[in-house]
Each structure stands twice: as structure tokens, then as C-alpha cells.
Amino acid sequence: MKARTLRAWSWVHKWSSLVSTAFLLMLCVTGLPLVFTHEIEHVLMEEAWTPARPDGPKLTLDQVLETALARKPGEVPAFMSFDEDRPVVNVTSVQPGGKAGVYSFQPIDHTSGDPAPPVAGHPVMEFLLQLHTDMFLGLAGMLFLGAMGLLLIAALVSGVVLYAPFMRRLPFGTVRASKRARTRWLDYHNLLGAVTAAWVLVVGATGVVNTLATPIVGYWKNTALKELTQAYDSPVAPGQRSSLQAAVDKAKAALPDKDLQFVAFPGSDYSTDHHYAVFFHGKTPLTKHLTTPALIDARTGELAAIAPTPWYVKTLSLSQPLHFGDYGGLGLKIVWALLDIATIVILASGLYLWLAKRKAAR
Amino acid sequence: MKTGHHLTLWQVFSVPAAIAALSLFGLVVALLGDGLWNGIGALTLGASVIATVWALAARRR
């Protein structure tokens, strides 16, 4: 490689890293416990619980919704989701026109309407997740972290290019542990960078895609779902809505080979102002991560459309497991955590190498 | 530094490229399959960790 080309790549590696390192360290440190969110919340929150009427009939979803909203006067429903391993319906509601990110989350016994103990959403994990997602800055914070992710990719690509000249005389994996600290840490940095490259690229790139969730879903609503909403001028008022249970039943009949995942109410982020969006996911390991909504007209209760998600929403859906590492059992999570720690060492050693070089140059 | 001669680009990148391929294979099969595939996915993605441990033990000087 020509000396000028090498200097250019060196410049890219130095600056893409320097600008992003503090944020990437924050992401790696908060990401480490987040990998084990499910396990941590299981330990911190799980308590023995049985439904009030284990073998009795279940309430209709309309009854569940009514019960939940009666406990949160003035709020409107946003989402309803369903626990997989217990008869519990989770109702998320918000103040109309309230602040983004402020909501009530109520797990409800599907057999009695009584409150059920929450098994997710521990305040500490929620805090870490929010810090990791947007640093409490909303969309701007998310997009900013997305930009840091792009810098990570630039640092990774330039790092791979620079790996060649550094390793021309050293067989793979050489660690000159007896040499001075700068040499030693350069070897650790190169070794860990070389072995984690593919994983960092996947987690970095899918992380960037995840930061685009709001514009991706917004674009989908404004294009694919737009024509479904053109018949109406004003959002459907809560008093005008048809039965939720009937809407879910109709959606299930339309998608019999899929599993019910959640309902987005009219006016919420994942629906239009006029429809119940009933989301289903597939039954295979891959299609489990891909959702298909059935849109039910909230005034008439009729099936308005099955809206298979376009490629960019599918990309977003698949970017989530590939970023979180929560799709392949505990073994995969442990490897995820080890690679996350390796990345922390890469970031810290990179910073150290830059500082040591500056000091030496003075 | 053991040798005076330069390694070729292939010699420099063959092991990292193999680890990258194993990692990507692991990431994908754990997503496509369940059960045994999850174990295989964790193991092949873990090639990166195994290579690190090996290098720290065997290539230390």
C-alpha cells in the first residue's frame, strides 16, 4: 500500500474512533446487562402467581380493556399484548396528547380482570434500555446513536485495511506480551479486532437499522397504510369503536396459521387513526421475528386489509434479534456477552494507543 | 519478529476470514433453526472466542 493511502486510512480510523468511542463504550457497557434482560428480570421480578380461575372461562378482550382503563381514568389504549406462558393480557395506555415515552403498563389476569404481577419492565433494566436506545433524548438521540454506529462501521472497515500492514511480519494471533505496553496493547487490539470483526459489523449495522425504527414505521404508515385511511376525515373516537374481541377473532380467522402477538389501537404508533392493527407472527424460528398485521376497521369491525410488511419493515424486524442476541438460547447470549467485553477492550485499548502515541510524539 | 520476509495478504487474512465466515454462519443458523441449531450457532460464533483464548495461550511471546 502506498504511504499516502495508508495515511488516509489511518486518518479515517483515528477520527471515526475518536468521535464515537465514548458513546460506543456507553453502548457496550449498557448492552452487556441488556443481553440478559430476560434472565435478570426473571430473578428480580418473578413471583409465584396463579390466575384467579385457572380452568374458568376467560374474559373477553373488551372486558379486560374496560377493566384496565377504569384503573387509569382519562387514558386511552395504545397496545395490548399477550403473555405466552400465563393467561395474562398486558394493556398499555397513554394520556391523550401526553409526552412521548410516558405510558401506563398493566398486566391483567385474563380470567378475572385482577392485576397480575409484572414479569418484565424492571425500572433498572428500563433505564439501561432507554440510555442505550436514545440517551433519554427521543428521536434525536436515537438518530445520533445511529450516526455513532456508522462511525463504528467506518472504524471497523479502516481497521481491517490497516490490519494488513501491521501484521505483515506477524503470524495470526501473535501477542508480544514481553514487549513494552504500547506493543503489547497493539497486539491485543489487533487480535480482538480481527476475531470480532464479523460480529461487530452485524451488531453495529443492525443497531443502525434499529435507530431508524421511527422513520421506517412512519414511512410505512404514510405509504402502504395510507390508502386504507382515505375514506375517513377524523380519527375514530373511543365511543365509536366496534368490539375489540370481535376484531381479534376476525383477524385470527383471516390468518389461521399464525400466532397472535399484539394489538395496536387506533391512533397509536403501529396503527392508523381508524383501525385496530392486529399483529401476528409466524411459527418457525425465522418467521417468529416477522410480523403481519390484519387491519380491522374500528368503526365497522370489518377486515380492511392483511398488510404484509414491505422489505424495509422486514429488515427492521430481523435487525432486532440480530442486534439483541436474544434468539438462540443462553449459549448464544453468553458468546454475545464475551464478544461485547472484547469490544470494550478494543475501544479502551484503541484509546490508550492513541494517547500513548501522542505522548511519545511530544 | 520471527521472520524477515513478509506474509502475503492471503496469509494475513486467512484465519480472520475463516473466523468471520464461521461467525456469520453461527449468527444465521441460530436465527433459522431451533434446538440443536442454536447450539451450533453459539459454537461457531464462539470460534472467535476460542481463537482468542488459543492465541493468548499459544502465540504469546
Side-chain angles (χ1 to χ4, degrees), chain A residues 160 163 167-178 188 192 195 198 202 285-286 289 327-328 331-332 335-336 339, chain B residues 1 4 6-7 9 12-13 15-16 19-20 24 27 30-34 38 42 45-46 48-49 52 55-56 59-61:
Chain A
V160 169
Y163 182 77
M167 297 300 289
R168 273 188 315 185
R169 292 162 186 275
L170 299 169
F172 168 80
T174 303
V175 177
R176 290 165 292 179
S178 53
Y188 289 139
L192 291 173
V195 299
V202 168
L286 177 66
H289 300 290
Y327 61 95
L332 193 72
V335 176
W336 222 264
L339 291 169
Chain B
M1 301 197 188
H6 289 180
L7 300 174
L9 218 51
V12 169
F13 280 111
V15 179
I19 292 168
L24 293 175
L27 286 169
L31 190 61
L32 295 180
D34 257 341
N38 284 342
L45 180 63
S48 43
V49 179
T52 307
L56 291 176
R59 288 275 162 90
R60 200 181 183 83
R61 40 172 131 129

Side-chain angles (χ1 to χ4, degrees), chain A residues 252-303:
Chain A
K252 273 184 177 166
L255 292 166
D257 54 345
K258 292 186 190 298
D259 286 332
L260 176 62
Q261 191 182 20
F262 71 99
V263 179
F265 285 88
S268 67
D269 282 350
Y270 284 81
S271 189
T272 75
D273 285 342
H274 315 283
H275 297 86
Y276 293 117
V278 187
F279 282 79
F280 293 83
H281 56 98
K283 290 179 193 285
T284 71
L286 177 66
T287 59
K288 207 163 59 189
H289 300 290
L290 297 171
T291 53
T292 307
L295 290 138
I296 308 286
D297 190 310
R299 289 178 178 83
T300 65
E302 291 304 315
L303 177 71

